């Protein structure tokens, strides 16, 4: 049986890419019966009715999957955040990072619209960028308008499935249009009244950019920590996890426990206060989450 990768899902059809091109497939009823849906990014076995049509028979094991956006086997998430319009938000970035880390997806932080900021704002953004780099993240500063930083971003896309995700209006589609001008993805200006953009992307599709595949998605429509437990959260903050090796007690949640390595690292300035504050806020949110039955 032939095999391929689902690169687009739309209106009940799954478009499977193989070495000869695209085959439009429907999913067999057994998937619905087992409450399983094929996802963009899935490696599948299919039965071909002809060169252009067929049926998905089997979904290969996934290394990860996201519910919203619905995509599987993601290698990395390009987290796109603007320096301004809307303003750069560390709390929103940290929320995205936690979700990506929890799903075992490699994150890359991309800060856009640096052509719109003053020297003072640029210095502030550089300080944030350095803090995240110290935590272990790669950070790239870009401008689609000036095509700044594209030479740094492009190599990261090679031979990977990448998801572009972030707040509405930060320039995800503009970035992709700059990387691959023939895409002509729709973009919307920011609403000055709301201070945010409108979603311009309607479905998940993997687009070939260089030798990689990129999903321009509507972003995470849910940023809730539904499946993350309190004990998991430290692992989603790399610098906190590293500092926790110096905690006196195993299972330390870095709240009021004595001789906590994380709190010592915060006090010494090794970990920025805002990262620790966000950790505490997220921990409280997880603890107050209503139980699911």
């Amino acid at each position: 049986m032939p095999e391929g990768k689902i690169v687009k899902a739309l209106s009940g059809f799954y478009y499977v890419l193989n070495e000869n091109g695209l085959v439009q497939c429907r999913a067999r009823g057994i998937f619905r019966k087992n409450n399983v849906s094929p996802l963009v990014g899935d490696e599948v076995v299919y039965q071909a009715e002809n060169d252009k049509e067929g049926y998905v028979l089997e979904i290969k094991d996934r290394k990860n999957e996201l519910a919203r956006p619905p995509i599987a086997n993601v290698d990395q998430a390009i987290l796109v955040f603007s320096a301004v319009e809307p303003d750069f938000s560390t709390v929103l970035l940290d929320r995205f990072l936690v979700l990506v880390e929890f799903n075992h997806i490699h994150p890359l932080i991309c800060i856009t619209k640096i052509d719109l900021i003053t020297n003072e704002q640029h210095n502030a953004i550089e300080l944030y960028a350095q803090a995240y780099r110290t935590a272990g993240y790669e950070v790239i500063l870009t401008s689609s308008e000036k095509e700044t930083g594209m030479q740094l971003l492009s190599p990261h896309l090679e031979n990977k499935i990448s998801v572009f995700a972030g707040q509405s209006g930060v320039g995800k589609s503009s970035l992709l249009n700059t990387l691959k001008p023939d895409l002509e993805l729709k973009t919307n200006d920011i609403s000055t009244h709301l201070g945010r953009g409108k979603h311009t992307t309607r479905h998940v599709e993997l687009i070939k950019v260089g030798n990689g595949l990129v999903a321009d998605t509507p972003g995470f429509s849910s940023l809730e920590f539904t499946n993350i437990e309190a004990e998991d959260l430290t692992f989603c903050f790399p610098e906190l996890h590293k500092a926790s090796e110096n905690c006196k007690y195993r299972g330390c949640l870095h709240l009021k426990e004595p001789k906590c390595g994380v709190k010592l690292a915060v006090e010494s300035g090794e970990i920025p206060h805002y990262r620790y504050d966000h950790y505490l806020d997220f921990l409280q949110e997880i603890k107050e989450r209503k139980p699911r039955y």
Side-chain angles (χ1 to χ4, degrees):
M1 290 288 183
E3 299 183 6
K5 184 194 300 290
I6 297 175
V7 294
K8 180 179 176 182
L10 187 63
S11 302
F13 288 100
Y14 301 94
Y15 297 83
V16 179
L17 180 67
N18 60 28
E19 63 273 11
N20 299 317
L22 282 178
V23 180
Q24 178 180 282
C25 295
R26 285 197 178 275
R28 285 292 190 197
I30 188 68
F31 294 118
R32 192 162 51 249
K33 183 180 177 182
N34 293 334
N35 200 27
V36 174
S37 295
L39 296 175
V40 169
D42 272 335
E43 298 286 346
V44 298
V45 178
Y46 66 95
Q47 182 180 34
E49 300 289 301
N50 51 55
D51 289 344
K52 296 296 181 183
E53 297 176 306
Y55 287 90
V56 175
L57 300 180
E58 178 189 344
I59 300 171
K60 298 295 189 72
D61 288 343
R62 297 165 177 161
K63 68 179 183 181
N64 56 46
E65 63 180 278
L66 296 173
R68 290 177 284 184
I71 189 169
N73 300 317
V74 178
D75 294 307
Q76 67 180 353
I78 314 294
L79 301 181
V80 185
F81 279 74
S82 54
V84 289
E85 298 181 15
D87 290 341
F88 184 68
S89 168
T90 57
V91 66
L92 194 57
L93 173 55
D94 285 349
R95 187 171 280 271
F96 270 87
L97 284 169
V98 166
L99 290 166
V100 168
E101 293 277 7
F102 183 73
N103 284 284
H104 305 290
I105 297 171
H106 177 75
L108 187 151
I109 300 168
C110 179
I111 303 176
T112 61
K113 304 185 184 181
I114 60 166
D115 58 304
L116 300 180
I117 58 179
T118 64
N119 287 337
E120 186 178 350
Q121 289 171 319
H122 196 284
N123 291 337
I125 290 294
E126 280 287 2
L127 286 174
Y128 283 127
Q130 189 53 49
Y132 282 99
R133 290 181 184 122
T134 301
Y137 295 110
E138 182 123 20
V139 183
I140 297 175
L141 307 186
T142 67
S143 163
S144 299
E145 187 70 28
K146 303 291 185 182
E147 298 192 11
T148 305
M150 298 302 151
Q151 73 282 5
L152 299 175
L153 182 58
S154 294
H156 289 280
L157 306 180
E158 294 295 294
N159 303 311
K160 292 186 176 77
I161 292 181
S162 304
V163 168
F164 274 54
Q167 189 178 6
S168 294
V170 296
K172 298 187 293 293
S173 294
S174 295
L175 267 182
L176 279 169
N177 284 337
T178 305
L179 289 166
K180 191 176 170 72
D182 60 328
L183 285 177
E184 298 181 351
L185 295 172
K186 286 184 180 179
T187 60
N188 273 347
D189 291 333
I190 299 296
S191 160
T192 53
H193 177 63
L194 295 174
R196 53 189 170 88
K198 299 175 183 178
H199 289 315
T200 53
T201 315
R202 297 300 177 196
H203 63 275
V204 181
E205 180 177 355
L206 289 176
I207 304 160
K208 192 168 177 62
V209 178
N211 291 320
L213 292 169
V214 169
D216 179 34
T217 77
F220 291 78
S221 56
S222 173
L223 291 175
E224 297 176 0
F225 304 132
T226 308
N227 299 312
I228 303 177
E229 301 300 332
E231 296 76 18
D232 300 324
L233 190 58
T234 301
F235 294 96
C236 301
F237 286 77
E239 73 276 44
L240 269 68
H241 177 52
K242 182 179 179 182
S244 71
E245 295 173 359
N246 298 319
C247 290
K248 181 178 180 181
Y249 297 105
R250 183 175 296 182
C252 179
L253 289 179
H254 326 303
L255 292 169
K256 297 177 181 177
E257 299 91 338
K259 296 186 179 178
C260 170
V262 169
K263 288 191 290 184
L264 288 173
V266 174
E267 289 167 9
S268 69
E270 188 179 331
I271 293 175
H273 269 280
Y274 60 85
R275 284 278 284 172
Y276 178 63
D277 289 343
H278 297 163
Y279 166 82
L280 294 179
D281 290 343
F282 298 164
L283 187 64
Q284 188 66 24
E285 183 179 329
I286 290 168
K287 287 183 169 186
E288 292 177 353
R289 182 178 61 208
K290 292 181 180 178
R292 292 174 296 142
Y293 299 103

